[in-house]
């Protein structure tokens, strides 16, 4: 049997959702039977080797690079899943959405109480920050959503197995939580 | 006049009492109609429309429509479910609802409704509006980011606490909850025991120093969907 290919990434997230993927514990052995990991921070593969079946996205889009990566995932993955509150609605990083950008940068790099000789970073190497943090589905088409901060390992497991085996995931009430 | 009203709910014969709304009669028959702005201790507000049911072919708010003899009511059609989902999704995108760190998470009626309606993500774009925090009072604060304009606190202040200290300013999408003093909450007489504080369905009106006391797994809606208590009232048939 050809194994399904799966890719994952963390955009403006905290890696908590990836930790939750690892939280499936020994089921990871079963997962390894079902899938082969392509581009992912879990195996540190940086480039797509080809078309993938499933892409898991952690985090929303707060800068230009996030948008590029998300678009690449959309192109390379047949099914794209938003994983966690940040991917779904921006999450904690989106707290800046109500504050003007200049004010944010000034507070962080110039006027903050712990700043000494601050300056606003402006290196060409740095990806440009966006006007606000965007949920992934406002940037590309997302096929499925797994809410939670992070989504529980059981939710991730049940949904993945459902996707990979082609049967509708049976998600009990307790698995769907926004916190 | 008979003191029993007979109606059909989802094809099931039910009885109600004169003066009851459809929602109250359904409650007594163990049928849960989703609701948000309704509170059993207050006069119905009829503003959220989450309680919309189909009565004899027309959609009506169950909390404000009196139950009547011969009504044929539908509650769980796919159309109504989708309408309710849309309403709840709009409330999520219209405010700033950060469930991961909200004090009310797990006990919040908006969140619990979204769980019950199986909302995985809203279909509308987030608005990220600018809302204000009133932290002027030593014991209570109002976080406007989370207010869903249900009006429960306003009604409770008037009807139960008998002091109209809260109200709305602005209209439509710009409507905001506000304490009736230029000094904000600090300028009004309000305490943690007031009904207007307790009836808030979301984390908008919060009593300070009470947050995060209940561990995850023990909160109101961790295991049972909202409305389970009402469904448990279903008479044996
Ligand atoms: S503060 Fe709470 S009770 Fe008052 S209108 Fe807003 S959500 Fe409703
Ligand atoms: S509960 Fe009936 S309109 Fe809000």
């Amino acid at each position: 049997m050809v194994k399904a290919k799966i890719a994952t990434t963390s955009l403006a997230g905290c890696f908590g959702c990836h930790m939750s993927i690892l939280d499936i514990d020994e089921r990871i052995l079963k997962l390894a039977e079902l899938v082969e990991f392509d581009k992912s921070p879990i195996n540190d593969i940086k480039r797509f080797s080809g078309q993938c079946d499933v892409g898991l996205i952690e985090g929303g889009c707060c800068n230009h690079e996030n948008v590029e990566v998300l678009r690449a995932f959309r192109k390379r993955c047949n099914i794209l899943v938003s994983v966690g509150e940040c991917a779904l609605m921006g999450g904690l990083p989106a707290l800046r959405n109500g504050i003007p950008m200049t004010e944010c940068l000034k507070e962080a790099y110039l006027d903050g109480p712990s700043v000494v000789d601050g300056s606003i970073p402006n290196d060409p190497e740095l990806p440009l920050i966006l006007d606000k943090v965007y949920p992934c589905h406002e940037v590309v088409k997302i096929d499925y959503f797994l809410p939670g901060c992070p989504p529980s390992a059981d939710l991730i497991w049940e949904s993945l197995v459902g996707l990979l085996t082609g049967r509708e995931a049976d998600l009990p009430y307790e698995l769907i939580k926004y916190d | 006049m008979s003191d029993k009203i007979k109606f059909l709910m989802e094809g099931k014969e039910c009885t109600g009492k004169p003066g009851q709304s459809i929602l109250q009669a359904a409650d007594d028959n163990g049928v849960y109609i989703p609701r948000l702005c309704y509170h059993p201790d207050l006069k119905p507000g009829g503003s959220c429309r989450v309680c919309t049911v189909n009565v004899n072919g027309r959609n009506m708010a169950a909390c404000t429509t009196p139950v009547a003899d011969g009504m044929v009511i539908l509650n769980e059609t796919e159309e109504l479910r989708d309408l309710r989902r849309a309403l709840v999704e709009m409330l999520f995108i219209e405010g700033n609802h950060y469930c991961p760190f909200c004090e009310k998470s797990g006990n919040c009626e908006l969140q619990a409704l979204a769980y019950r309606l199986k909302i995985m993500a809203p279909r509308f774009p987030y608005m990220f509006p600018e809302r204000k925090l009133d932290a002027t009072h030593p014991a209570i604060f109002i976080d406007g980011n989370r207010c869903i304009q249900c009006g429960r606190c306003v009604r409770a202040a008037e009807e139960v606490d008998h002091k109209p200290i809260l109200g709305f300013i602005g209209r439509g999408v710009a409507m905001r909850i506000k304490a009736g003093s230029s000094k904000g909450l600090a300028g009004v007489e309000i305490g943690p025991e007031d009904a207007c504080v307790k009836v808030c369905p979301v984390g908008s009106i919060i009593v300070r120093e009470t947050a995060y006391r209940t561990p995850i797994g023990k909160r109101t809606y961790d295991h049972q969907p909202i409305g389970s208590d009402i469904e448990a009232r279903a008479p044996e048939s």
Side-chain angles (χ1 to χ4, degrees):
Chain A
M1 190 183 100
V2 192
K3 282 187 187 177
K5 268 198 205 166
I6 182 169
T8 78
T9 189
S10 176
L11 307 175
C14 70
F15 268 91
C17 293
H18 273 82
M19 298 312 272
S20 207
I21 296 175
L22 296 179
D23 247 358
I24 62 173
D25 296 333
E26 74 283 357
R27 285 172 290 188
I28 202 147
L29 298 174
K30 257 199 212 148
L31 187 64
E33 282 171 22
L34 287 171
V35 304
E36 191 184 307
F37 273 86
D38 206 84
K39 176 178 161 66
S40 167
I42 290 176
N43 52 19
D44 210 22
I45 295 180
K46 308 275 192 221
R47 280 176 223 288
F48 284 105
S49 70
Q51 193 68 12
C52 292
D53 298 281
V54 181
L56 304 180
I57 311 287
E58 165 190 323
C61 290
C62 80
N63 65 32
H64 204 254
E65 193 216 2
N66 297 152
V67 176
E68 297 263 312
V69 173
L70 181 58
R71 284 189 179 147
F73 264 75
R74 181 65 279 180
K75 233 186 182 162
R76 297 306 197 107
C77 304
N78 299 338
I79 296 170
L80 214 49
V81 187
S82 264
V83 182
E85 288 302 305
C86 297
L88 261 76
M89 59 83 62
L92 282 195
L95 276 175
R96 78 160 158 96
N97 285 5
I99 306 165
M101 173 66 67
T102 345
E103 225 175 278
C104 266
L105 289 172
K106 270 182 152 173
E107 177 65 22
Y109 296 108
L110 300 177
D111 307 334
S114 58
V115 177
V116 183
D117 294 335
S119 71
I120 293 174
N122 193 22
D123 194 290
E125 291 266 314
L126 291 174
L128 276 179
I129 195 162
L130 301 178
D131 63 333
K132 59 177 190 178
V133 180
Y134 290 85
C136 292
H137 63 278
E138 291 183 22
V139 179
V140 299
K141 159 90 181 151
I142 297 286
D143 303 298
Y144 294 99
F145 300 89
L146 300 181
C149 185
S152 67
D154 288 339
L155 176 61
I156 296 173
W157 172 251
E158 287 301 327
S159 316
L160 260 185
V161 171
L163 266 183
L164 297 168
T165 56
R167 63 163 173 80
E168 200 173 331
D170 173 27
L171 302 175
Y173 172 81
E174 274 126 311
L175 286 195
I176 297 164
K177 291 284 137 69
Y178 301 165
D179 59 3
Chain B
M1 203 179 94
S2 140
D3 61 346
K4 260 198 183 160
I5 292 170
K6 289 204 172 95
F7 63 101
L8 276 182
M9 182 71 166
E10 229 84 88
K12 198 177 82 174
E13 274 184 40
C14 293
T15 53
K17 292 183 222 123
Q20 274 187 325
S21 64
I22 293 175
L23 187 142
Q24 288 167 325
D27 277 6
D28 285 354
N29 286 274
V31 175
Y32 173 72
I33 300 172
R35 76 283 308 262
L36 257 184
C37 68
Y38 174 81
H39 188 283
D41 300 340
L42 307 172
K43 286 188 200 143
S47 61
C48 74
R49 307 322 256 193
V50 168
C51 69
T52 301
V53 288
N54 187 288
V55 186
N56 301 342
R58 285 188 64 194
N59 285 354
M60 332 258 277
C63 70
T64 52
T65 310
V67 68
D69 240 331
M71 275 183 168
V72 178
I73 305 169
L74 298 175
N75 177 36
E76 288 288 352
T77 67
E78 193 41 47
E79 189 192 333
L80 287 171
R81 261 200 291 267
D82 189 54
L83 176 117
R84 291 172 184 148
R85 259 186 229 126
L87 290 171
V88 172
E89 288 170 19
M90 280 192 260
L91 290 172
F92 268 94
I93 60 109
E94 231 184 75
N96 296 308
H97 298 278
Y98 292 89
C99 295
F101 63 81
C102 180
E103 294 91 326
K104 194 80 171 198
S105 194
N107 300 313
C108 169
E109 291 178 39
L110 178 71
Q111 186 191 59
L113 253 188
Y115 290 164
R116 183 172 172 124
L117 296 169
K118 298 201 168 71
I119 295 175
M120 303 302 262
R123 70 194 82 173
F124 310 107
Y126 281 94
M127 294 173 70
F128 297 113
E130 227 189 299
R131 301 275 192 96
K132 297 236 151 36
L133 180 74
D134 181 343
T136 55
H137 194 278
I140 291 148
F141 67 83
I142 300 185
D143 187 346
N145 289 292
R146 304 164 178 170
C147 176
I148 55 169
Q149 291 81 238
C150 69
R152 279 196 200 176
C153 57
V154 180
R155 280 177 277 144
E158 277 167 24
E159 295 168 26
V160 185
D161 303 328
H162 304 292
K163 44 179 185 188
I165 50 172
L166 297 167
F168 287 114
I169 54 160
R171 293 185 71 83
V173 80
M175 195 158 103
R176 301 283 185 270
I177 189 71
K178 219 171 173 335
S181 157
S182 57
K183 290 198 205 95
L185 274 178
V188 299
E189 222 180 278
I190 191 168
E193 290 309 314
D194 285 343
C196 64
V197 172
K198 291 185 174 161
V199 294
C200 183
V202 294
S204 182
I205 305 187
I206 295 274
V207 178
R208 290 179 193 261
E209 294 175 35
T210 60
Y212 315 118
R213 294 245 167 109
T214 321
I216 291 177
K218 296 226 158 98
R219 303 168 305 179
T220 319
Y221 304 116
D222 279 340
H223 301 290
Q224 292 296 319
I226 188 168
S228 302
D229 51 333
I230 289 166
E231 283 163 336
R233 286 183 213 162
E236 306 279 316
S237 57

